[in-house]
Amino acid sequence: AQSVTQLDSHVSVSEGTPVLLRCNYSSSYSPSLFWYVQHPNKGLQLLLKYTSAATLVKGINGFEAEFKKSETSFHLTKPSAHMSDAAEYFCVVSERRQAGTALIFGKGTTLSVSS
Amino acid sequence: DTGVSQNPRHKITKRGQNVTFRCDPISEHNRLYWYRQTLGQGPEFLTYFQNEAQLEKSRLLSDRFSAERPKGSFSTLEIQRTEQGDSAMYLCASSLFEDTEAFFGQGTRLTVV
């Protein structure tokens, strides 16, 4: 079975400083990995996805993630945090099921941004 | 708005009552998914449809839960004889095909009292 582990339940940064949200994955085959963001009272939104092409993936709003097979990691980064980045972030792996695939979510990391 | 729509947004019900939620996916999306999210956790997969066919049900989905997608468009999720442990956010998502981006609705928050 595939799984993801988000190493921090809560990350706090100051506006303008770098963001690092850590994620390790477990997969018996080359996985598809995603980062989703969830703002209060809004639906989950896809930030970026890795599907075995370039290992450095760029997403929306200045976020990017690097797939490192040797470390089984897929950490999310952003050079400079903005107040609007405060939200819940989920690392996700696509799992092959009986008749297709389903998304398997981590427990989430709450990002707080202070001024 | 052409996104995934879920109704109602909030539902409070007494233990033992039946509830039904509706999900309207993005038009022409073949795949429809249901997830459940409890406080402090990530969404957990419940079931999914390819058009009107229900392809798989998670072990999390007890016999009290049933989902349908009768015409391959909207879907309903029914919970019979609700229990307090059913209190959660129920999320619906749709995608055009397998392995394409899944778009999520805002969810239905169920509170069982």
Side-chain angles (χ1 to χ4, degrees), chain A residues 24-102:
Chain A
N24 287 350
Y25 70 90
S26 173
S27 177
S28 55
Y29 52 86
S30 184
S32 293
L33 293 161
F34 311 78
W35 277 96
Y36 276 81
V37 61
Q38 188 175 38
H39 290 273
N41 299 318
K42 291 190 176 181
L44 285 156
Q45 181 183 20
L46 178 66
L47 275 179
L48 50 82
K49 64 179 179 180
Y50 165 78
T51 55
S52 75
T55 56
L56 183 63
V57 183
K58 294 187 182 300
I60 62 172
N61 300 334
F63 284 95
E64 61 182 37
E66 186 172 7
F67 174 74
K68 292 186 176 181
K69 187 175 181 179
S70 61
E71 300 176 9
T72 62
S73 69
F74 190 58
H75 301 335
L76 181 70
T77 61
K78 182 174 180 177
S80 176
H82 191 272
M83 295 294 288
S84 61
D85 294 329
E88 189 80 12
Y89 290 80
F90 294 97
C91 182
V92 182
V93 64
S94 179
E95 178 179 76
R96 294 177 187 167
R97 314 283 295 199
Q98 296 171 7
T101 60

Side-chain angles (χ1 to χ4, degrees), chain B residues 21-48:
Chain B
F21 311 140
R22 177 178 170 125
C23 170
D24 287 90
I26 293 173
S27 179
E28 298 179 353
H29 275 195
N30 295 315
R31 289 264 173 163
L32 187 146
Y33 309 81
W34 284 99
Y35 288 80
R36 181 174 67 189
Q37 185 177 18
T38 54
L39 200 61
Q41 301 294 318
E44 297 171 296
F45 168 76
L46 294 179
T47 188
Y48 63 174

